Amino acid sequence: MADDAGLQAPLCSEQFGSGEARGCRAAADGSLQWEVRGWRWWGLSKAFTIKPEGRDAGEVGAPGAASPPLSGLQAVFLPQGFPDSVSPDYLPYQLWDSVQAFASSLSGSLATQAVLLGIGVGNAKATVSAATATWLVKDSTGMLGRIVFAWWKGSKLDCNAKQWRLFADILNDVAMFLEIMAPVYPICFTMTVSTSNLAKCIVSVAGGATRAALTVHQARRNNMADVSAKDSSQETLVNLAGLLVSLLMLPLVSGFPGFSIGCFFFLTALHIYANYRAVRALVMETLNEGRLRLVLKHYLQRGEVLDPTTANRMEPLWTGFWPTPSLSLGVPLHHLVSSVFELQQLVEGHQEPYLLCWDQSRNQVQVVLNQKADPKTVLRAATHGLILGALQGDGPLPAELEELRNRVWAGPKKESWVIVKETHQVLDMLFPKFLKGLQDAGWKTEKHQLEVDEWRATWLLSPEKKVL
């Protein structure tokens, strides 16, 4: 009995990541006996032995043999330390992302077949020079489009990564549809495939940039390279599976244009649905304008802060398709003032390192940031601007803001700078509570994804002390 008790007392234990810990016991011959991971779940106590002088080559129970059957695949296709080394939304996002990649791979095969037929593959009358010219025009158009789109929208992709990710995949479907339809109208073939390639190059920029932004979100142990590499491995595996299925599918649909288009629409529907589910699975803990607007509205109406999961579930995914007041952060000072009087009027009452100009007629808020403005200042300035927008909207507000809204609605309207000055006093009380609520709910307030331009300014702060 004493020996049994000694065997039951673990000398030490170990665990991999967040997996179940396994104990180590001393055997009668002085060797170490480790519990096999996973056996405890079934009420068993199987163990393997490690002798002090080493292991025999054929000995059962080597440490590698204790791994679950799928651990090898996990090491190949999932980041090291999964699931602790990535965000909680990693697995559902990657599963739906794999589904959309598979559907896109099959659709791409149908589109490629159509383009090759349109160029003249299999047509004895087609010339190499004509096909080469078409291909060069197509590629050059796409290259120019890639440069222009990166210049035009590159700075906005971080702020709305989910929306642009979804936009890129839908645009990719449109591009493939153009490729499939290109042979139907041979006269417009070159223009059609060039337009399609232009769209695909935009997809490449938007999709690659947003994928990088999502990798930053998902990597939780400074392992962005590992997460990105394993994502590439997953995509390669899915594309390989798509290639094998395409080899079986293309001979079946070849020669049947109606059936081919029907397959394309089915795969496109699956692709869009899987993309929507993948993007919806993401839970970003940083605030962009859309999420801040939702959280602030809920806080003003109910006095509580939405957690990241709830806010992300409510966030609109169609960029630019919902009406919002205009909020511009980091605008140049010379756009707002042209005289000493206007500067003094704008600075009056501003103790925070930002200046805010509100155009009531257009419900447009422009914010000048000081050189000393930090992420907290930017977050307060954005909150300030959205609160001014709420004064012209409907819905319940705290008593202090409700009184201001009644004064804004009552004519004649007061000058905007007076309302801005008074809302500063309200924010002195409201914003610290709101910020504390954000932090308690799980939001990362030390950084943000608000769209901020690079203009900064300096000015003498108003000497007037605000009185609450």
Side-chain angles (χ1 to χ4, degrees), residues 206-429:
T210 53
R211 178 62 248 184
L214 296 181
T215 300
V216 173
H217 157 70
Q218 291 175 334
R220 296 301 168 94
R221 290 183 179 171
N222 294 322
N223 57 339
M224 288 185 292
D226 186 28
V227 172
S228 180
K230 296 304 169 55
D231 179 67
S232 178
S233 296
Q234 296 168 23
E235 186 175 356
T236 301
L237 179 65
V238 171
N239 288 336
L240 178 60
L243 176 62
L244 296 176
V245 174
S246 296
L247 292 176
L248 301 175
M249 179 184 68
L250 290 179
L252 299 177
V253 301
S254 180
F256 301 96
F259 185 49
S260 177
I261 293 177
C263 289
F264 173 77
F265 280 122
F266 169 76
L267 292 170
T268 299
L270 176 62
H271 180 244
I272 294 176
Y273 176 74
N275 268 294
Y276 176 81
R277 291 296 302 270
V279 172
R280 271 294 177 216
L282 290 169
V283 179
M284 311 292 285
E285 296 102 345
T286 49
L287 290 163
N288 63 0
E289 185 177 340
R291 293 189 285 273
L292 178 60
R293 189 182 300 275
L294 283 170
V295 174
L296 180 61
K297 180 179 179 181
H298 189 85
Y299 179 77
L300 294 178
Q301 292 180 352
R302 303 188 182 182
E304 57 186 23
V305 176
L306 292 174
D307 62 272
T309 301
T310 304
N312 277 266
R313 193 182 303 122
M314 299 168 59
E315 181 184 6
L317 295 179
W318 309 107
T319 304
F321 283 81
W322 65 96
T324 59
S326 175
L327 175 63
S328 302
L329 299 169
V331 302
L333 182 60
H334 69 267
H335 281 186
L336 302 184
V337 296
S338 59
S339 66
V340 175
F341 173 76
E342 290 179 349
L343 178 60
Q344 291 176 339
Q345 192 178 65
L346 189 64
V347 170
E348 185 178 356
H350 284 71
Q351 295 294 317
E352 297 293 330
Y354 68 87
L355 302 177
L356 192 148
C357 181
W358 180 35
D359 186 343
Q360 293 188 53
S361 60
R362 294 185 295 176
N363 204 8
Q364 182 181 48
V365 177
Q366 295 178 293
V367 180
V368 178
L369 295 174
N370 193 278
Q371 294 282 4
K372 300 179 180 179
D374 56 10
K376 178 182 175 182
T377 300
V378 175
L379 185 59
R380 172 175 168 134
T383 303
H384 194 166
L386 294 179
I387 284 179
L388 288 172
L391 295 180
Q392 291 189 327
D394 299 324
L397 292 175
E400 307 89 340
L401 293 176
E402 190 66 44
E403 180 183 351
L404 277 177
R405 181 163 65 180
N406 293 335
R407 291 164 58 185
V408 169
W409 284 359
K413 290 187 176 181
K414 299 180 65 174
E415 294 185 28
S416 297
W417 68 273
V418 178
I419 299 296
V420 170
K421 179 180 176 181
E422 293 177 353
T423 51
H424 262 294
Q425 300 177 11
V426 175
L427 249 72
D428 286 340
M429 297 182 295

Side-chain angles (χ1 to χ4, degrees), residues 105-119 121 135 176 179-180 183 200 250:
S105 178
L106 298 182
S107 299
S109 299
L110 295 173
T112 301
Q113 182 187 48
V115 171
L116 293 177
L117 289 174
I119 287 178
V121 175
W135 205 269
M176 288 190 290
E179 290 180 342
I180 287 180
K200 282 192 170 184
L250 290 179

Side-chain angles (χ1 to χ4, degrees), residues 60-202:
V60 178
S67 301
L70 296 180
S71 62
L73 290 176
Q74 176 174 319
V76 174
F77 293 105
L78 293 176
Q80 183 180 7
F82 173 86
D84 303 295
S85 61
V86 292
S87 59
D89 57 14
Y90 177 84
L91 187 59
Y93 174 81
Q94 293 300 125
L95 290 174
W96 283 111
D97 189 56
S98 298
V99 173
Q100 70 86 16
F102 181 74
S104 180
S105 178
L106 298 182
S107 299
S109 299
L110 295 173
T112 301
Q113 182 187 48
V115 171
L116 293 177
L117 289 174
I119 287 178
V121 175
N123 185 356
K125 297 181 180 180
T127 64
V128 175
S129 60
T132 303
T134 300
W135 205 269
L136 292 176
V137 171
K138 175 179 76 72
D139 284 353
S140 60
T141 303
M143 292 175 185
L144 292 174
R146 185 193 301 268
I147 295 172
V148 172
F149 181 77
W151 160 75
W152 182 36
K153 292 294 184 180
S155 62
K156 302 180 185 296
L157 300 179
D158 283 300
C159 304
N160 297 291
K162 294 194 293 184
Q163 290 83 350
W164 282 108
R165 177 76 180 183
L166 186 60
F167 166 82
D169 284 299
I170 294 176
L171 183 61
N172 190 50
D173 291 329
V174 173
M176 288 190 290
F177 176 73
L178 290 175
E179 290 180 342
I180 287 180
M181 298 303 296
V184 179
Y185 304 99
I187 297 177
C188 304
F189 179 81
T190 301
M191 183 180 67
T192 303
V193 295
S194 297
T195 304
S196 171
N197 199 56
L198 172 63
K200 282 192 170 184
C201 286
I202 293 175

